[in-house]
Amino acid sequence: MNKSIFVVCISLLVVLTPTHNAKMMIYPNGDRHCAMAQGQVLSACGLQLANDGVHPGDCCYVINDVNREVQTQQARIWLCKCFQEAIKVYGYTKLIGMPEKCNIPNAVPFDPNMDCAQA
């Protein structure tokens, strides 16, 4: 996918996600919105996860990038809750365990059963 199409896809996801009852949680450090983080990960991982659960570099790169943005414990909690929402509310169950599958050290888990205070 060329870069301009990728940017358009992310932009559409960020714009359209709030219309689907996304909570637009703001991370405490103000850097990211939940819908933006979800949009980035789903844009990079969505098609690949639909195809036999393959975990290409782009998908892992974006998950790592989203995790690098969380600098505080509170931000980790919000990211955890954000992806719990994506899994529980929107049914993106193939995201479960992706940070671990991508071998991202100290990543916030994508797990609907995780106690986010322990993330």
Side-chain angles (χ1 to χ4, degrees), residues 14-26:
V14 171
V15 169
L16 296 177
T17 300
T19 65
H20 294 358
N21 297 321
K23 293 182 176 75
M24 289 299 291
M25 292 185 268
I26 298 173

Side-chain angles (χ1 to χ4, degrees), residues 13 22 33 38-39 42-43 55 60-62 66 74-76 88 93-97 99 115:
L13 279 169
H33 294 282
Q38 289 174 348
L42 295 174
S43 291
H55 313 299
C60 291
Y61 176 82
V62 170
V66 167
Q74 188 61 42
R76 290 178 62 83
K88 290 178 182 176
T93 56
K94 290 189 177 185
L95 287 175
I96 296 171
D115 175 4

Side-chain angles (χ1 to χ4, degrees), residues 1 9 41-54 56 59 94:
M1 181 181 307
C9 289
V41 170
L42 295 174
S43 291
C45 303
L47 291 176
Q48 290 82 5
L49 291 175
N51 297 325
D52 300 323
V54 176
C59 178
K94 290 189 177 185

